[in-house]
Amino acid sequence: AKPASELAEYILMERIRPPVTPSVVHRPVVGQRGEAFVRESVAELGIFGVLVADGARTVSNEAVGHLLRSKAHSTNQGGVFVGNAVVDAPLLVPSDAYWSSLPP
């Protein structure tokens, strides 16, 4: 067993396993229109915020935007720039409509 101080460090490094969901992705094809396909993906949602303070007084502290990125479930590498992930536009649907659409 590890001491509590070492265990705390381990917990901070534990891998987060996001849920796998179907995602529609568009793949460009040179000289053609390209193609859309569905793949099993994991998503990362980033929320951008702004904090303006004057010493101890908070002037403004609010969320100002978001970025949703997804990558294939099968890849360990991430990054839009290197081609392993895509920037998404979320399509929000009622949860019962989503879950009832999945195969058993």
Side-chain angles (χ1 to χ4, degrees):
K2 295 183 180 218
S5 60
E6 287 184 33
L7 185 58
E9 292 174 11
Y10 173 76
I11 291 170
L12 288 175
M13 296 176 8
E14 187 174 337
R15 183 172 180 184
I16 297 171
R17 299 196 185 275
V20 177
T21 58
S23 178
V24 178
V25 180
H26 180 266
R27 178 183 2 224
V29 178
V30 177
Q32 298 178 19
R33 288 186 55 166
E35 60 185 6
F37 63 99
V38 176
R39 73 173 180 196
E40 295 296 306
S41 300
V42 293
E44 297 174 352
L45 175 64
I47 305 294
F48 298 103
V50 171
L51 172 65
V52 179
D54 181 10
R57 184 176 69 90
T58 300
V59 177
S60 178
N61 183 6
E62 56 189 276
V64 295
H66 67 276
L67 174 72
L68 183 64
R69 178 182 89 146
S70 70
K71 64 182 182 177
H73 172 49
S74 60
T75 184
N76 287 326
Q77 302 297 321
V80 173
F81 183 72
V82 296
N84 289 329
V86 296
V87 175
D88 284 327
L91 172 62
L92 303 178
V93 296
S95 63
D96 57 337
Y98 170 77
W99 291 110
S100 65
S101 70
L102 296 178

